[in-house]
């Protein structure tokens, strides 16, 4: 998993990115609307009764300054009632349970989950990020059915993304600097593994980039639609000029997808 750093998420609590405006321009949807679509809901939902606890977790490499506050702000922007627990780890968990919250959100170095305390269902960030960015790509591309779509990165997010996009009828190819990881997805899910990452990128217009990689603009197709959760995030001027849309945020789309999906388990 790519570990976020405080500087990458410092603008999240106050939404300095103004993410909804950017997404409305590129996808015609807000973060909440993308998350609802990813959860299979085609109408707005009032989440004001949903109570959420975000628990700072000190294990492993420890807390990331601003991470819990960022998750908390993202969930509150969905209209839910979210707070960060005073206690960390088990103490925080105990506080959340005694507070009778509906959802618990927490992350260690390996997993970032939303836990629905009523249904014991767990939604993880790999699926949430893959689904959120796949829905964003589908909206920005005005549909992916029958279209060639490239997933870059055969890790946790890419593995979810290839299944989601194939399920929507896209002709999915996948590439990774470790070709055997891409080949494993070809064997398992019937998508096409491409060995040369640069050639793969240069030959696709619709891309979901789930790799912590930076690509030179000379490889980007004119009018490319790039849905790219990967951090570090950087596209040079040529890439930014040639792409029709470059959809990125460091944390919000995946987190909103998790929270909406988890809340709906006990709201339908
Ligand atoms: O509670 C804390 O502050 C820390 N234990 C959080 C650690 C999170 C580590 N994981 C990551 O930084 C990312 N994989 C989170 C998800 C990125 C968005 N797709």
């Amino acid at each position: 998993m790519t570990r976020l750093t405080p500087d990458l998420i410092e603008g999240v609590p106050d939404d300095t990115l103004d993410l909804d405006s950017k997404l409305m321009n590129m996808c015609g949807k807000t973060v909440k609307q993308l998350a609802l679509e990813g959860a299979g809901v085609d109408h707005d939902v009032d989440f004001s009764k949903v109570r959420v606890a975000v628990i700072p977790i000190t294990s492993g490499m420890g807390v990331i300054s601003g991470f819990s506050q960022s998750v908390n702000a993202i969930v509150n922007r969905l209209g839910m009632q979210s707070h960060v627990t005073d206690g960390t780890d088990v103490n925080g968990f105990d506080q959340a349970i005694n507070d009778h919250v509906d959802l618990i959100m927490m992350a260690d170095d390996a997993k970032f989950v939303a836990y629905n305390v009523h249904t014991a269902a767990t939604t993880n960030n790999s699926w949430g990020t893959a689904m959120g960015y796949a829905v964003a790509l589908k909206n920005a591309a005005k549909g992916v059915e029958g279209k060639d779509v490239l997933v870059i990165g055969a890790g946790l997010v890419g593995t979810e993304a290839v299944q989601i996009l194939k399920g929507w009828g896209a002709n999915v190819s996948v590439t990774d600097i470790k070709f055997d990881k891409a080949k494993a997805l070809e064997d398992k899910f019937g998508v096409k593994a491409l060995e040369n990452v640069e050639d793969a990128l240069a030959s696709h217009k619709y891309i979901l980039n789930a790799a912590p990689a930076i690509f030179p603009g000379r490889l980007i197709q004119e009018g490319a639609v790039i849905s790219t959760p990967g951090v570090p995030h950087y596209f040079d001027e040529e890439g930014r000029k040639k792409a029709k849309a470059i959809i990125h945020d460091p944390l919000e789309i995946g987190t909103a997808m998790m929270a909406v999906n988890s809340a709906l388990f006990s709201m339908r």
Side-chain angles (χ1 to χ4, degrees):
M1 295 238 316
T2 309
R3 183 176 168 89
L4 289 170
T5 54
D7 59 304
L8 285 174
I9 55 175
E10 66 185 351
V12 174
D14 298 333
D15 188 27
T16 46
L17 251 184
D18 189 6
L19 188 57
D20 275 350
S21 302
K22 289 190 171 56
L23 291 174
M24 283 303 286
N25 287 336
M26 294 187 286
C27 312
K29 296 260 169 81
T30 61
V31 174
K32 182 181 177 186
Q33 288 168 333
L34 290 174
L36 286 166
E37 182 174 337
V41 171
D42 62 0
H43 54 80
D44 191 25
V45 172
D46 174 2
F47 290 115
S48 58
K49 296 280 181 296
V50 179
R51 301 180 64 248
V52 184
V54 179
I55 306 172
I57 302 296
T58 63
S59 67
M61 295 177 72
V63 302
I64 298 173
S65 171
F67 179 83
S68 297
Q69 292 74 13
S70 293
V71 171
N72 191 56
I74 291 164
V75 175
N76 277 315
R77 283 201 275 273
L78 294 166
M80 299 182 188
Q81 299 176 47
S82 183
H83 70 282
V84 178
T85 56
D86 296 336
T88 64
D89 309 295
V90 178
N91 185 19
F93 182 81
D94 187 52
Q95 290 171 352
I97 296 300
N98 293 324
D99 207 6
H100 305 295
V101 297
D102 302 300
L103 309 185
I104 288 173
M105 299 183 77
M106 53 188 167
D108 64 9
D109 297 348
K111 286 274 172 60
F112 173 19
V113 297
Y115 176 74
N116 182 307
V117 301
H118 304 295
T119 66
T122 297
T123 307
N124 71 62
N125 185 259
S126 299
W127 175 85
T129 300
M131 178 57 84
Y133 274 86
V135 170
L137 177 64
K138 181 167 69 167
N139 281 275
K142 298 193 178 12
V144 293
E145 188 170 2
K147 292 181 183 173
D148 294 339
V149 177
L150 175 67
V151 174
I152 304 175
L156 293 171
V157 174
T159 298
E160 297 288 350
V162 298
Q163 298 173 68
I164 292 164
L165 292 160
K166 183 173 163 69
W168 291 342
N171 308 321
V172 182
S173 295
V174 58
T175 188
D176 190 293
I177 47 171
K178 294 182 184 135
F179 179 61
D180 57 334
K181 288 178 75 174
K183 189 75 179 66
L185 298 188
E186 175 176 292
D187 298 342
K188 195 166 181 189
F189 301 117
V191 295
K192 180 102 190 68
L194 300 177
E195 184 145 17
N196 185 307
V197 176
E198 295 208 346
D199 291 350
L201 174 58
S203 60
H204 281 83
K205 182 173 182 180
Y206 303 113
I207 295 144
L208 193 149
N209 171 46
I214 289 172
F215 302 101
R218 63 180 168 76
L219 295 173
I220 307 288
Q221 265 194 26
E222 198 62 47
V225 177
I226 308 173
S227 190
T228 175
V231 290
H233 170 72
Y234 172 77
F235 283 84
D236 61 27
E237 188 176 344
E238 183 183 359
R240 290 198 304 273
K241 252 198 335 254
K242 289 161 77 176
K244 175 168 175 281
I246 296 178
I247 303 158
H248 175 76
D249 88 279
L251 183 57
E252 185 141 4
I253 290 172
T255 300
M257 188 65 255
M258 288 163 72
V260 164
N261 192 65
S262 187
L264 287 168
F265 281 129
S266 53
M267 284 178 73
R268 288 187 209 279

